[in-house]
């Protein structure tokens, strides 16, 4: 049995007199989530950022999950930033990592209204040209990964909340049949991949999910290759739709698979033990609803750690939406998932007070990278801070913001700016920097002082 990865390379923590820190204990009583899920014939996945797949992040992604979804790496804007010039680096990396860890890959996403390259969105195209571009994009990307992708989110977010079609580049110029065509082209490029339509706010029975239901029914009746529907499940604390299982079942009864594709449960910050307990119940009920329906293939969480979640930047004041905290300690939500998959470990008490620093690479290119350090306090607070680390592969800071950074040899020390030294209990602050690298760009351990 693999043990649960907790804190082997946690960011080091403040040890000031006013602060008390209890390291997250190893809660290794259960098997990893992927083994629990496999025993029930389900897949448990996570969205990932390729640059982070090393150290503790890589350990957890590889050991706990049986499927990876590239969070951004397979989107059109990422893979073809300039027309005809492709960048498959991060997508290839994630696929290789998944293969090395005996994981599935969920391809995400081929046809969307967001994160398209500007040459495409700013271009002026006839419908015939646009259709040709879309076909070429799908054939190229699906063809590249033929045989390596278990399921594709072929079409993402085609509906408005009232169930009408969303006005997009695709719908406005090609009509609703862009969906059928995209599925047909994807099937031609990889007949073995399961092809999905994916959307949000379609978890419960309602106008939007019924529009999706009617679309799938129509596509099936026309013989269009559609294998499944993805329910994204970007949920708000305490608001799991009561009709979730019923909704999954009605799609299953149409003869398609269902997957929960982007589960997270956001809460107003700061998190506290009552909110974390509610979040555990929410994760558990979503996973249990999938587990109860044979045709529900599995659940993917949209980032497994709070340090790698889209929520705080999109919903200011909200966060803590994933099953692991920013220091990779499993939260009650982790145990909620495990319990829904038949695990028996009870939720451990939250650690007492600590402030910690988490380092992440937010983007990386051939010679440079952008990094971010987040300093978070829970049950403790800071009135000023310094984040210190040692670069392990010759990286150099070239510019920083929201902190004053100095580098001497491999040692970096970043002090708070005049306006962000205070980190109250339950809050966090972040600063960013650009740096140069070559060869490799390993993530250092940050200490606070
Ligand atoms: O890579 C750049 C970096 O170089 C730059 O410094 C930084 C400054 O803002 O931006 C970085 O790009 C960001 C990118 O994520 C990678 O981190 C974009 O600004 C940001 O908009 C983008 O957000 C993504 C979002 O889709 C865009 O709509 C999220 O990471 C991604 O998790 C999110 O995923 C979507 C699913 O695809 C579809 N369903 C909803 C879900 C959440 O929005």
């Amino acid at each position: 049995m693999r043990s649960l990865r907790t804190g082997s390379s946690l960011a080091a923590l403040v040890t000031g007199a006013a602060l008390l820190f209890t390291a997250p204990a190893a809660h290794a009583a259960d098997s990893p989530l992927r083994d629990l899920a496999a025993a029930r014939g389900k897949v448990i996945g996570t969205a990932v950022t390729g640059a982070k797949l090393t150290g503790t992040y890589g350990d957890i992604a590889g050991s706990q999950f049986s499927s990876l979804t590239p969070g951004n790496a397979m989107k059109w804007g990422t893979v073809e930033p300039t027309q005809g010039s492709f960048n498959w680096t991060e997508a290839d990396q994630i696929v290789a990592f998944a293969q090395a860890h005996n994981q599935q890959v969920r391809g995400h996403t081929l046809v969307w209204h967001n994160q398209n390259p500007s040459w495409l969105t700013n271009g002026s195209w006839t419908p015939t040209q646009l259709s040709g571009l879309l076909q070429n994009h799908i054939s190229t990307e699906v063809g590249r990964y033929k045989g390596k992708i278990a399921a594709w989110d072929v079409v993402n977010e085609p509906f408005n909340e009232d169930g009408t079609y969303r006005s997009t580049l695709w719908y406005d110029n090609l009509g609703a049949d862009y969906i059928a065509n995209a599925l047909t082209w994807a099937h031609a490029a990889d007949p073995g991949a399961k092809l999905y339509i994916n959307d949000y706010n379609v978890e419960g029975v309602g106008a939007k999910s019924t529009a999706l239901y009617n679309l799938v029914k129509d596509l099936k009746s026309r013989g269009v290759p559609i294998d499944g529907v993805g329910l994204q499940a970007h949920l708000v604390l305490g608001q799991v739709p009561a009709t979730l299982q019923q909704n999954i079942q009605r799609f299953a009864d149409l003869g398609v698979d269902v997957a929960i594709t982007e589960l997270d449960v956001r809460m107003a910050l700061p998190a506290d033990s009552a909110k974390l307990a509610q979040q555990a119940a929410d994760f558990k009920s979503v996973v249990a609803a999938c587990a109860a329906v044979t045709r529900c293939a599995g659940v993917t969480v949209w980032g497994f750690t709070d340090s790698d979640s889209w929520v705080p930047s999109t919903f200011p004041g909200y966060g803590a939406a994933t099953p692991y905290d920013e220091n990779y300690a499993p939260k009650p939500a982790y145990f909620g998932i495990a319990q829904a998959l038949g695990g028996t470990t009870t939720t451990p008490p939250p650690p007492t007070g600590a402030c910690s620093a988490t380092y992440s690479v937010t983007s990386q290119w051939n010679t440079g990278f952008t990094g971010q350090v987040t300093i978070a306090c829970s049950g403790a607070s800071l009135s000023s801070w310094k984040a210190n680390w040692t670069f392990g592969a010759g990286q150099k800071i070239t510019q920083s913001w929201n902190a004053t950074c100095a580098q001497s040899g491999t040692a970096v020390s970043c002090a708070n700016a005049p306006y962000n030294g205070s980190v109250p209990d339950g809050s966090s602050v972040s600063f960013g920097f650009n740096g140069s690298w070559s060869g490799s760009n390993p993530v250092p351990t940050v200490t606070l002082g």
Side-chain angles (χ1 to χ4, degrees), residues 72 75 108 112 115 156-157 232 234 262 302 310 363:
N72 290 295
K75 292 169 180 174
H108 176 86
W112 196 22
Q115 291 179 284
N156 200 33
E157 303 174 0
Q232 291 186 6
H234 293 294
E262 304 184 16
W302 202 244
W310 69 297
S363 68

Side-chain angles (χ1 to χ4, degrees), residues 112-390:
W112 196 22
H113 57 276
N114 270 337
Q115 291 179 284
N116 286 318
S118 51
W119 63 262
L120 175 69
T121 52
N122 295 339
S124 128
W125 316 103
T126 65
T128 306
Q129 288 172 322
L130 195 60
S131 180
L133 288 168
L134 183 59
Q135 179 172 10
N136 186 44
H137 166 63
I138 291 173
S139 308
T140 302
E141 182 153 2
V142 177
R144 179 180 182 85
Y145 296 109
K146 183 179 179 187
K148 299 179 175 175
I149 303 289
W152 272 105
D153 292 329
V154 176
V155 178
N156 200 33
E157 303 174 0
F159 289 110
N160 293 316
E161 296 306 297
D162 66 0
T164 57
Y165 281 108
R166 183 192 289 269
S167 165
T168 68
L169 177 67
W170 311 114
Y171 180 74
D172 297 348
N173 291 288
L174 305 177
D177 256 356
Y178 83 88
I179 297 172
N181 288 333
L183 290 160
T184 302
W185 295 328
H187 183 67
D190 186 355
K194 299 267 191 189
L195 305 182
Y196 279 65
I197 301 173
N198 189 49
D199 214 326
Y200 62 89
N201 287 349
V202 292
E203 293 75 29
V205 174
K208 194 173 183 181
S209 64
T210 297
L212 179 58
Y213 179 90
N214 289 333
L215 170 62
V216 170
K217 195 171 174 185
D218 176 61
L219 293 170
K220 293 278 290 180
S221 75
R222 291 161 55 194
V224 175
I226 172 76
D227 299 299
V229 296
L231 315 180
Q232 291 186 6
H234 293 294
L235 302 177
V236 175
L237 190 70
Q239 295 183 26
V240 177
T243 52
L244 174 60
Q245 188 178 322
Q246 176 195 338
N247 194 39
I248 295 173
Q249 188 65 56
R250 75 170 169 155
F251 281 105
D253 293 344
L254 270 185
V256 291
D257 294 340
V258 179
I260 307 291
T261 52
E262 304 184 16
L263 177 61
D264 51 27
V265 178
R266 62 184 178 268
M267 62 182 71
L269 296 172
D272 61 29
S273 55
K275 291 179 193 175
L276 293 172
Q278 177 64 54
Q279 185 184 49
D282 293 344
F283 270 89
K284 184 175 179 178
S285 72
V286 171
V287 177
C290 178
V293 180
T294 308
R295 285 204 79 142
C296 188
V299 176
T300 288
V301 296
W302 202 244
F304 63 84
T305 156
D306 291 340
S307 67
D308 189 39
S309 169
W310 69 297
V311 168
S313 58
T314 306
F315 299 99
Y318 283 77
T322 79
Y324 284 80
D325 74 12
E326 298 200 336
N327 294 313
Y328 305 128
K331 293 159 57 182
Y334 171 92
F335 298 94
I337 296 171
Q339 287 162 15
L341 295 172
T344 52
T345 306
T346 50
T347 304
T352 47
C355 296
S356 62
T358 312
Y359 178 111
S360 58
V361 174
T362 56
S363 68
Q364 182 168 297
W365 54 98
N366 48 356
T367 58
F369 69 102
T370 300
Q372 177 172 292
V373 171
T374 297
I375 297 161
C377 292
S378 174
S381 63
L382 293 170
S383 55
S384 67
W385 45 263
K386 249 188 194 174
N388 307 306
W389 68 88
T390 302

Side-chain angles (χ1 to χ4, degrees), residues 71-84:
N72 290 295
M74 288 186 170
K75 292 169 180 174
W76 198 336
T78 305
V79 301
E80 196 183 7
T82 305
Q83 189 172 11

Side-chain angles (χ1 to χ4, degrees), residues 73-74 88-97 144-145:
M74 288 186 170
W88 305 105
T89 312
E90 188 188 355
D92 284 356
Q93 181 202 351
I94 293 170
V95 170
F97 183 98
R144 179 180 182 85
Y145 296 109

